[in-house]
Amino acid sequence: VAVVIAVDLAGDAATGSFQSSMTSLVGKVDYEITANGGVDEREMAKLTALPVNAQFGAVIEQPVTAGERGSVTLFGVESLVDPTVAIVSGDAAEQFGWKTGSTIELRGRDHAAQFRVDKIIAGQNVGWVAVDIAAAQQLLNAYGRIDRIEVTVDAGEDAALVERLVRATVPSSYSVLTPGARSEENQRMLRAFRWNLRILSYISLLVGAFL
């Protein structure tokens, strides 16, 4: 009984940590613009010209290879202005042995590039690396394309008006995800993670009992 309770508690703790890491990565986003095959970065100019109080951020999120040690999720963001530096999660730093000031090599499908670790974000249980979005496009050979545009509505602004103008501005084939849809997707991911972790724990417990 004690072992089963311990398995449940450990699973809940791991799920909570995973949710916290996912929230810190995602941040506060009100809408998310996506499209099959990626979003044309020229849409950013149209969106930033809208007469609304909202922030529009281009994001790239793709898996890359980190040397010979495995893969890690690459985030290309606009907040980094130096294309030679990277911010990494504590989990990735521990997995790959990275430290502040270390030089790391990331490889996409056709290109490789080196970055200097500028900062390590502690308390992250998901492996990721954040670099300048232009550097990410060059590494992934995805010039002119981004994975999504994140929309953050300022306090006091009419969110419904922002959504209406965004939908009217971007092509009809683009998807504008609402916070509810995003939350539902995240909850499905968390439920799948929780059940997979629990089933694997019970299988390990069963094997251990037989041994």
Side-chain angles (χ1 to χ4, degrees):
V1 171
V3 172
V4 171
I5 294 175
V7 166
D8 282 339
L9 291 176
D12 290 340
T15 303
S17 179
F18 180 75
Q19 184 175 14
S20 175
S21 297
M22 185 168 59
T23 301
S24 64
L25 278 176
V26 171
K28 181 188 178 300
V29 177
D30 296 292
Y31 300 100
E32 193 176 70
I33 304 169
T34 60
N36 290 331
V39 176
D40 190 335
E41 67 177 10
R42 290 176 294 184
E43 297 298 323
M44 280 289 296
K46 301 177 185 177
L47 292 170
T48 53
L50 291 176
V52 295
N53 294 319
Q55 307 298 321
F56 300 92
V59 178
I60 288 178
E61 180 181 355
Q62 294 290 335
V64 294
T65 302
E68 303 295 332
R69 302 185 182 182
S71 62
V72 66
T73 300
L74 173 72
F75 284 94
V77 295
E78 295 181 303
S79 57
L80 294 177
V81 295
D82 189 342
T84 65
V85 303
I87 297 176
V88 305
S89 68
D91 182 79
E94 181 179 353
Q95 178 183 355
F96 297 103
W98 296 336
K99 297 180 180 179
T100 303
S102 298
T103 299
I104 63 176
E105 182 178 88
L106 303 178
R107 178 175 294 276
R109 280 182 286 184
D110 303 317
H111 297 81
Q114 291 186 339
F115 301 90
R116 177 177 55 83
V117 177
D118 183 62
K119 185 186 298 183
I120 297 175
I121 306 299
Q124 301 286 303
N125 292 327
V126 178
W128 54 266
V129 178
V131 301
D132 175 66
I133 194 165
Q137 287 177 320
Q138 183 177 5
L139 176 63
L140 299 169
N141 196 22
Y143 296 99
R145 310 298 294 183
I146 54 180
D147 288 320
R148 64 178 181 268
I149 298 175
E150 295 180 343
V151 185
T152 304
V153 181
D154 293 348
E157 181 61 272
D158 186 353
L161 172 64
V162 174
E163 180 183 1
R164 224 168 25 247
L165 291 176
V166 167
R167 290 184 183 274
T169 301
V170 300
S172 58
S173 59
Y174 283 24
S175 299
V176 181
L177 302 178
T178 62
R182 182 185 182 87
S183 176
E184 183 180 349
E185 180 182 351
N186 291 343
Q187 291 302 320
R188 284 200 303 267
M189 185 187 304
L190 284 172
R191 284 196 296 269
F193 177 76
R194 180 183 295 110
W195 278 108
N196 287 338
L197 187 63
R198 183 168 296 175
I199 289 173
L200 288 174
S201 299
Y202 286 145
I203 290 176
S204 301
L205 179 62
L206 184 63
V207 171
F210 274 107
L211 290 177

PDB file of all heavy atoms in Angstrom, residues 3 17-18 21 23-24 33 44 47 68 80 85 111 116 122-124 159 166 180 187 192 199:
ATOM      1  N   VAL A   3       3.900   1.557  -1.149  1.00  0.00           N
ATOM      2  CA  VAL A   3       4.572   1.712  -2.444  1.00  0.00           C
ATOM      3  C   VAL A   3       3.621   2.299  -3.480  1.00  0.00           C
ATOM      4  O   VAL A   3       3.983   3.188  -4.264  1.00  0.00           O
ATOM      5  CB  VAL A   3       5.134   0.362  -2.926  1.00  0.00           C
ATOM      6  CG1 VAL A   3       5.658   0.484  -4.356  1.00  0.00           C
ATOM      7  CG2 VAL A   3       6.246  -0.107  -2.008  1.00  0.00           C
ATOM      8  N   SER A  17       5.405  19.381 -11.873  1.00  0.00           N
ATOM      9  CA  SER A  17       6.638  20.008 -12.344  1.00  0.00           C
ATOM     10  C   SER A  17       6.592  20.211 -13.852  1.00  0.00           C
ATOM     11  O   SER A  17       7.022  21.242 -14.368  1.00  0.00           O
ATOM     12  CB  SER A  17       7.832  19.137 -11.956  1.00  0.00           C
ATOM     13  OG  SER A  17       9.026  19.701 -12.410  1.00  0.00           O
ATOM     14  N   PHE A  18       6.058  19.206 -14.573  1.00  0.00           N
ATOM     15  CA  PHE A  18       5.932  19.306 -16.026  1.00  0.00           C
ATOM     16  C   PHE A  18       4.991  20.445 -16.399  1.00  0.00           C
ATOM     17  O   PHE A  18       5.264  21.227 -17.319  1.00  0.00           O
ATOM     18  CB  PHE A  18       5.412  17.986 -16.582  1.00  0.00           C
ATOM     19  CG  PHE A  18       5.232  17.964 -18.071  1.00  0.00           C
ATOM     20  CD1 PHE A  18       6.318  17.879 -18.917  1.00  0.00           C
ATOM     21  CD2 PHE A  18       3.970  18.040 -18.632  1.00  0.00           C
ATOM     22  CE1 PHE A  18       6.156  17.865 -20.292  1.00  0.00           C
ATOM     23  CE2 PHE A  18       3.791  18.028 -19.997  1.00  0.00           C
ATOM     24  CZ  PHE A  18       4.888  17.935 -20.832  1.00  0.00           C
ATOM     25  N   SER A  21       6.729  23.784 -15.838  1.00  0.00           N
ATOM     26  CA  SER A  21       7.700  24.065 -16.900  1.00  0.00           C
ATOM     27  C   SER A  21       7.002  24.490 -18.185  1.00  0.00           C
ATOM     28  O   SER A  21       7.441  25.422 -18.866  1.00  0.00           O
ATOM     29  CB  SER A  21       8.564  22.824 -17.158  1.00  0.00           C
ATOM     30  OG  SER A  21       9.308  22.489 -16.013  1.00  0.00           O
ATOM     31  N   THR A  23       4.072  25.924 -18.435  1.00  0.00           N
ATOM     32  CA  THR A  23       3.515  27.256 -18.246  1.00  0.00           C
ATOM     33  C   THR A  23       4.584  28.322 -18.391  1.00  0.00           C
ATOM     34  O   THR A  23       4.378  29.375 -18.995  1.00  0.00           O
ATOM     35  CB  THR A  23       2.850  27.369 -16.867  1.00  0.00           C
ATOM     36  OG1 THR A  23       1.816  26.382 -16.768  1.00  0.00           O
ATOM     37  CG2 THR A  23       2.243  28.750 -16.665  1.00  0.00           C
ATOM     38  N   SER A  24       5.773  28.059 -17.833  1.00  0.00           N
ATOM     39  CA  SER A  24       6.855  29.040 -17.917  1.00  0.00           C
ATOM     40  C   SER A  24       7.349  29.191 -19.347  1.00  0.00           C
ATOM     41  O   SER A  24       7.778  30.269 -19.758  1.00  0.00           O
ATOM     42  CB  SER A  24       8.009  28.640 -16.995  1.00  0.00           C
ATOM     43  OG  SER A  24       8.573  27.422 -17.421  1.00  0.00           O
ATOM     44  N   ILE A  33      -1.502  32.199 -33.505  1.00  0.00           N
ATOM     45  CA  ILE A  33      -1.773  32.107 -34.938  1.00  0.00           C
ATOM     46  C   ILE A  33      -0.854  31.042 -35.534  1.00  0.00           C
ATOM     47  O   ILE A  33       0.373  31.139 -35.417  1.00  0.00           O
ATOM     48  CB  ILE A  33      -1.535  33.460 -35.625  1.00  0.00           C
ATOM     49  CG1 ILE A  33      -2.384  34.552 -34.964  1.00  0.00           C
ATOM     50  CG2 ILE A  33      -1.836  33.371 -37.113  1.00  0.00           C
ATOM     51  CD1 ILE A  33      -2.021  35.955 -35.410  1.00  0.00           C
ATOM     52  N   MET A  44       3.575  39.449 -39.795  1.00  0.00           N
ATOM     53  CA  MET A  44       3.885  40.204 -38.586  1.00  0.00           C
ATOM     54  C   MET A  44       3.738  41.712 -38.829  1.00  0.00           C
ATOM     55  O   MET A  44       3.237  42.448 -37.971  1.00  0.00           O
ATOM     56  CB  MET A  44       5.303  39.888 -38.116  1.00  0.00           C
ATOM     57  CG  MET A  44       5.436  38.596 -37.339  1.00  0.00           C
ATOM     58  SD  MET A  44       4.693  38.711 -35.694  1.00  0.00           S
ATOM     59  CE  MET A  44       5.731  39.950 -34.926  1.00  0.00           C
ATOM     60  N   LEU A  47       0.105  42.686 -38.749  1.00  0.00           N
ATOM     61  CA  LEU A  47      -0.499  42.604 -37.421  1.00  0.00           C
ATOM     62  C   LEU A  47      -0.041  43.748 -36.522  1.00  0.00           C
ATOM     63  O   LEU A  47      -0.838  44.327 -35.785  1.00  0.00           O
ATOM     64  CB  LEU A  47      -0.159  41.256 -36.780  1.00  0.00           C
ATOM     65  CG  LEU A  47      -0.799  40.035 -37.452  1.00  0.00           C
ATOM     66  CD1 LEU A  47      -0.208  38.754 -36.892  1.00  0.00           C
ATOM     67  CD2 LEU A  47      -2.314  40.038 -37.256  1.00  0.00           C
ATOM     68  N   GLU A  68      26.347  14.907 -30.200  1.00  0.00           N
ATOM     69  CA  GLU A  68      26.126  13.463 -30.283  1.00  0.00           C
ATOM     70  C   GLU A  68      25.308  12.952 -29.102  1.00  0.00           C
ATOM     71  O   GLU A  68      25.164  11.750 -28.927  1.00  0.00           O
ATOM     72  CB  GLU A  68      27.479  12.732 -30.302  1.00  0.00           C
ATOM     73  CG  GLU A  68      28.402  13.151 -31.432  1.00  0.00           C
ATOM     74  CD  GLU A  68      27.837  12.787 -32.798  1.00  0.00           C
ATOM     75  OE1 GLU A  68      27.079  11.797 -32.870  1.00  0.00           O
ATOM     76  OE2 GLU A  68      28.160  13.501 -33.772  1.00  0.00           O
ATOM     77  N   LEU A  80      15.751  37.898 -27.906  1.00  0.00           N
ATOM     78  CA  LEU A  80      17.211  37.794 -27.895  1.00  0.00           C
ATOM     79  C   LEU A  80      17.764  38.554 -29.099  1.00  0.00           C
ATOM     80  O   LEU A  80      17.408  38.260 -30.235  1.00  0.00           O
ATOM     81  CB  LEU A  80      17.647  36.330 -27.941  1.00  0.00           C
ATOM     82  CG  LEU A  80      17.300  35.478 -26.710  1.00  0.00           C
ATOM     83  CD1 LEU A  80      17.718  34.038 -26.930  1.00  0.00           C
ATOM     84  CD2 LEU A  80      17.983  36.034 -25.474  1.00  0.00           C
ATOM     85  N   VAL A  85      24.214  33.926 -28.868  1.00  0.00           N
ATOM     86  CA  VAL A  85      24.016  33.428 -27.505  1.00  0.00           C
ATOM     87  C   VAL A  85      22.755  32.576 -27.432  1.00  0.00           C
ATOM     88  O   VAL A  85      21.889  32.638 -28.310  1.00  0.00           O
ATOM     89  CB  VAL A  85      23.925  34.587 -26.487  1.00  0.00           C
ATOM     90  CG1 VAL A  85      25.147  35.460 -26.550  1.00  0.00           C
ATOM     91  CG2 VAL A  85      22.662  35.411 -26.705  1.00  0.00           C
ATOM     92  N   HIS A 111      21.938  22.251 -41.536  1.00  0.00           N
ATOM     93  CA  HIS A 111      22.925  23.200 -41.057  1.00  0.00           C
ATOM     94  C   HIS A 111      23.246  22.946 -39.585  1.00  0.00           C
ATOM     95  O   HIS A 111      22.479  22.310 -38.866  1.00  0.00           O
ATOM     96  CB  HIS A 111      22.423  24.647 -41.227  1.00  0.00           C
ATOM     97  CG  HIS A 111      22.192  25.041 -42.648  1.00  0.00           C
ATOM     98  ND1 HIS A 111      21.047  24.717 -43.337  1.00  0.00           N
ATOM     99  CD2 HIS A 111      22.963  25.740 -43.527  1.00  0.00           C
ATOM    100  CE1 HIS A 111      21.107  25.204 -44.566  1.00  0.00           C
ATOM    101  NE2 HIS A 111      22.269  25.824 -44.701  1.00  0.00           N
ATOM    102  N   ARG A 116      26.853  30.425 -27.569  1.00  0.00           N
ATOM    103  CA  ARG A 116      27.408  30.519 -26.220  1.00  0.00           C
ATOM    104  C   ARG A 116      26.274  30.575 -25.212  1.00  0.00           C
ATOM    105  O   ARG A 116      25.341  31.377 -25.364  1.00  0.00           O
ATOM    106  CB  ARG A 116      28.290  31.772 -26.101  1.00  0.00           C
ATOM    107  CG  ARG A 116      28.849  31.996 -24.692  1.00  0.00           C
ATOM    108  CD  ARG A 116      29.757  33.216 -24.678  1.00  0.00           C
ATOM    109  NE  ARG A 116      29.077  34.398 -25.184  1.00  0.00           N
ATOM    110  CZ  ARG A 116      28.269  35.174 -24.460  1.00  0.00           C
ATOM    111  NH1 ARG A 116      28.012  34.868 -23.195  1.00  0.00           N
ATOM    112  NH2 ARG A 116      27.702  36.236 -25.005  1.00  0.00           N
ATOM    113  N   ALA A 122      16.917  27.802 -14.074  1.00  0.00           N
ATOM    114  CA  ALA A 122      16.780  26.689 -13.133  1.00  0.00           C
ATOM    115  C   ALA A 122      15.311  26.335 -12.932  1.00  0.00           C
ATOM    116  O   ALA A 122      14.404  27.112 -13.242  1.00  0.00           O
ATOM    117  CB  ALA A 122      17.422  27.060 -11.794  1.00  0.00           C
ATOM    118  N   GLY A 123      15.084  25.129 -12.397  1.00  0.00           N
ATOM    119  CA  GLY A 123      13.731  24.683 -12.089  1.00  0.00           C
ATOM    120  C   GLY A 123      12.920  24.278 -13.295  1.00  0.00           C
ATOM    121  O   GLY A 123      11.693  24.213 -13.235  1.00  0.00           O
ATOM    122  N   GLN A 124      13.580  24.010 -14.417  1.00  0.00           N
ATOM    123  CA  GLN A 124      12.900  23.594 -15.643  1.00  0.00           C
ATOM    124  C   GLN A 124      13.126  22.108 -15.869  1.00  0.00           C
ATOM    125  O   GLN A 124      14.266  21.674 -15.989  1.00  0.00           O
ATOM    126  CB  GLN A 124      13.417  24.394 -16.832  1.00  0.00           C
ATOM    127  CG  GLN A 124      13.238  25.887 -16.704  1.00  0.00           C
ATOM    128  CD  GLN A 124      11.807  26.306 -16.901  1.00  0.00           C
ATOM    129  OE1 GLN A 124      11.211  26.019 -17.929  1.00  0.00           O
ATOM    130  NE2 GLN A 124      11.246  26.981 -15.922  1.00  0.00           N
ATOM    131  N   ALA A 159     -10.478  42.211 -25.930  1.00  0.00           N
ATOM    132  CA  ALA A 159      -9.903  41.002 -26.529  1.00  0.00           C
ATOM    133  C   ALA A 159     -10.706  40.541 -27.734  1.00  0.00           C
ATOM    134  O   ALA A 159     -10.145  40.050 -28.719  1.00  0.00           O
ATOM    135  CB  ALA A 159      -9.831  39.890 -25.482  1.00  0.00           C
ATOM    136  N   VAL A 166      -7.579  40.435 -35.966  1.00  0.00           N
ATOM    137  CA  VAL A 166      -6.543  39.473 -36.337  1.00  0.00           C
ATOM    138  C   VAL A 166      -7.077  38.493 -37.375  1.00  0.00           C
ATOM    139  O   VAL A 166      -6.417  38.211 -38.392  1.00  0.00           O
ATOM    140  CB  VAL A 166      -6.032  38.725 -35.090  1.00  0.00           C
ATOM    141  CG1 VAL A 166      -5.204  37.507 -35.496  1.00  0.00           C
ATOM    142  CG2 VAL A 166      -5.200  39.651 -34.216  1.00  0.00           C
ATOM    143  N   GLY A 180      -9.111  29.047 -24.629  1.00  0.00           N
ATOM    144  CA  GLY A 180      -9.797  27.814 -24.255  1.00  0.00           C
ATOM    145  C   GLY A 180      -9.274  26.616 -25.019  1.00  0.00           C
ATOM    146  O   GLY A 180      -9.019  25.551 -24.456  1.00  0.00           O
ATOM    147  N   GLN A 187      -4.178  20.510 -21.410  1.00  0.00           N
ATOM    148  CA  GLN A 187      -4.721  19.550 -20.448  1.00  0.00           C
ATOM    149  C   GLN A 187      -4.682  18.130 -21.001  1.00  0.00           C
ATOM    150  O   GLN A 187      -4.421  17.175 -20.261  1.00  0.00           O
ATOM    151  CB  GLN A 187      -6.165  19.936 -20.075  1.00  0.00           C
ATOM    152  CG  GLN A 187      -6.265  21.209 -19.239  1.00  0.00           C
ATOM    153  CD  GLN A 187      -5.479  21.109 -17.952  1.00  0.00           C
ATOM    154  OE1 GLN A 187      -5.468  20.072 -17.294  1.00  0.00           O
ATOM    155  NE2 GLN A 187      -4.801  22.183 -17.588  1.00  0.00           N
ATOM    156  N   ALA A 192      -2.278  12.763 -20.729  1.00  0.00           N
ATOM    157  CA  ALA A 192      -1.530  11.676 -21.363  1.00  0.00           C
ATOM    158  C   ALA A 192      -0.216  11.427 -20.631  1.00  0.00           C
ATOM    159  O   ALA A 192       0.172  10.276 -20.389  1.00  0.00           O
ATOM    160  CB  ALA A 192      -1.271  12.010 -22.830  1.00  0.00           C
ATOM    161  N   ILE A 199       1.121   4.269 -15.584  1.00  0.00           N
ATOM    162  CA  ILE A 199       1.135   2.903 -16.110  1.00  0.00           C
ATOM    163  C   ILE A 199       2.544   2.329 -16.072  1.00  0.00           C
ATOM    164  O   ILE A 199       2.762   1.173 -15.664  1.00  0.00           O
ATOM    165  CB  ILE A 199       0.576   2.889 -17.553  1.00  0.00           C
ATOM    166  CG1 ILE A 199      -0.936   3.155 -17.518  1.00  0.00           C
ATOM    167  CG2 ILE A 199       0.853   1.545 -18.221  1.00  0.00           C
ATOM    168  CD1 ILE A 199      -1.542   3.338 -18.894  1.00  0.00           C
TER     169      ILE A 199
END
